[in-house]
Amino acid sequence: MSEILAGVGHATDDDPTAAGRRAARAARDDLGGEERIAYAFGSSEYDQTALLGGIEDGLDCPVVGCSTAGEIARAQSHTESVVVLALAGDGIRPGVGSAPEFAEFSREAGMEAASAAVDDLGDGPVPTSVSASESGRRRWYPKLLVNAFGPGLTGSKEWALIGVQDALGWAHVSGGFAGDDWKLDTTWVYRDGEPVEDSMTVAAMDVDVKTGIGVANGLRETDHTFTVTSAEDNRLYELDGKPALEAYRDRYGDRVTQEHFLMTHPLGTDDDGEESHIAMIADVDEETGSMIVGEKPLEDGQKLTVMDTSADAVLDGVETAIDRALTAAGGPEDIAAVLVFDCNCRWFHLSNEETRNAELDIVRERVGPDVPVAGFYSYGEIATPNPLWNDDPRSLMRQDVHHQSIAIEIITNEPL
């Protein structure tokens, strides 16, 4: 029977090399096996080169990950620290790839990194999914499980994920875009033992066990819906026949230009799925009265609904995400590890460590007290959920970068 072992290490040392080394060795000690791949998520407060040097000292395997806007270790929320999740066992075979020039060629970077990761697996092509007969029906599970990490402040997140899927045809992908503790200056992705600012890293795992991905946001539609009457690409010029910023001000007043308002009231766009696609308002231009909304092109006649939420609604979203992930993984009893990619914007609604840990308590309650749980707070979440959670074949075409969301990946010890 295939098996996956997992170990988590966490450190808060002031010295970056010592912190990296301590977290890596703790993960290795917790693992109980020879590590095959490790995920590292470190605060941007650390010197990233020194931090990765310490991690590399403590492990003998590929290390992927990025800088963060907060760390998750053993289902607890942290800042100014580093967390390492190491995986071992014969249930996985990992490959790692990376590609530069993310800012200018995001799609190409995604394609090249994903292709390199699969090439690193060796032994020929790997199917992306396999089916199993359960309760008189066919159900599909990932055979190729992919984690992707990219810069958080440059390039196109949407096109990067499209590039990953271009290379793989279809694969179940989760991950996130790097943070820098809210400084909004520079983020780093971990590639080949070094931190880089303009590259994407992809880890592809050929798995022999059931896995599942779930994502949700907890945002709620308000009664404020606009119609796009003039837009070019993702720049919005008019809403309801008025300059976009003017129309927004008529509803909400001058606070519409405040960062806090923009980050807590994104726009929901038309979507064929059961939930709206969430588009962040990235910038407003007082001179032209225009707004930059998300990355996807906007179209005349499109409806945009202002979204809002509360702490309770955010926690409801966590329940939805973890339940979707567990369902996608077949309702497992034996869970090897959990990866969590959580949006930094959710901190506006979960404003202290106690309330942020309430999110992770929900995850812990669902998966059990002894399962290793690790992850980070990101500047954009990647999740292409397994369609099992809604039994909708059209979900096979769903691929997305999410915002103000929590994405959860479940890795089990239950064989395919």
Side-chain angles (χ1 to χ4, degrees), residues 162-318:
I162 289 170
V164 171
Q165 297 289 30
D166 283 346
L168 302 177
W170 172 260
H172 300 276
V173 186
S174 69
F177 292 89
D180 67 345
D181 298 282
W182 294 85
K183 293 189 284 289
L184 304 182
D185 181 26
T186 305
T187 65
W188 291 270
V189 174
Y190 302 159
R191 184 196 78 179
D192 301 330
E194 63 176 339
V196 291
E197 299 177 23
D198 191 30
S199 291
M200 187 167 207
T201 293
V202 171
M205 292 192 292
D206 178 8
V207 295
D208 292 330
V209 294
K210 294 178 181 178
T211 61
I213 297 169
V215 63
N217 54 56
L219 291 167
R220 302 291 184 263
E221 293 184 352
T222 70
D223 57 1
H224 292 167
T225 296
F226 299 103
T227 300
V228 177
T229 49
S230 179
E232 183 177 349
D233 294 328
N234 66 330
R235 182 175 287 275
L236 185 59
Y237 287 102
E238 287 187 3
L239 291 168
D240 297 339
K242 297 180 180 179
L245 192 53
E246 179 184 334
Y248 225 68
R249 273 202 172 104
D250 286 348
R251 292 281 181 92
Y252 293 104
D254 287 338
R255 61 182 175 145
V256 299
T257 60
Q258 297 173 1
E259 181 183 21
H260 181 277
F261 182 85
L262 295 176
M263 296 188 76
T264 55
H265 292 79
L267 293 170
T269 65
D270 299 323
D271 188 23
D272 293 333
E274 65 179 59
E275 294 177 347
S276 296
H277 174 79
I278 302 303
M280 301 293 294
I281 303 173
D283 195 15
V284 296
D285 187 331
E286 294 273 8
E287 185 174 343
T288 64
S290 64
M291 311 167 75
I292 296 177
V293 177
E295 293 187 17
K296 294 183 177 180
L298 300 167
E299 299 177 356
D300 289 359
Q302 186 175 2
K303 303 294 185 182
L304 300 177
T305 300
V306 179
M307 311 295 285
D308 199 357
T309 192
S310 65
D312 287 343
V314 167
L315 296 179
D316 288 344
V318 181

Side-chain angles (χ1 to χ4, degrees), residues 17 38 49 71 73 129 140 156 191 206 258 318 381 391:
T17 302
T49 299
E71 302 78 52
S129 299
W140 291 85
S156 170
R191 184 196 78 179
D206 178 8
Q258 297 173 1
V318 181
E381 301 73 57
D391 296 315

Side-chain angles (χ1 to χ4, degrees), residues 374-414:
F376 75 103
Y377 295 90
S378 68
Y379 287 175
E381 301 73 57
I382 298 171
T384 58
N386 187 317
L388 290 178
W389 55 259
N390 65 0
D391 296 315
D392 180 1
R394 292 174 300 174
S395 297
L396 285 170
M397 301 305 296
R398 183 182 290 114
Q399 55 187 24
D400 228 337
V401 174
H402 301 265
H403 299 282
Q404 299 214 13
S405 300
I406 184 169
I408 299 174
E409 176 182 313
I410 301 287
I411 303 173
T412 80
N413 264 320
E414 301 189 356

Side-chain angles (χ1 to χ4, degrees), residues 76-136:
Q76 292 285 300
S77 172
H78 302 274
T79 58
E80 299 185 19
S81 69
V82 57
V83 58
V84 174
L85 171 69
L87 300 178
D90 57 4
I92 56 169
R93 181 167 58 95
V96 174
S98 62
E101 299 186 84
F102 183 93
E104 188 173 1
F105 303 108
S106 302
R107 185 175 187 171
E108 289 83 352
M111 291 178 64
E112 291 178 17
S115 296
V118 173
D119 288 345
D120 193 44
L121 284 171
D123 296 331
V126 178
T128 56
S129 299
V130 296
S131 67
S133 178
E134 297 178 1
S135 302

Side-chain angles (χ1 to χ4, degrees), residues 3-18:
E3 183 182 29
I4 294 180
L5 305 173
V8 174
H10 178 245
T12 59
D13 303 62
D14 291 335
D15 179 82
T17 302

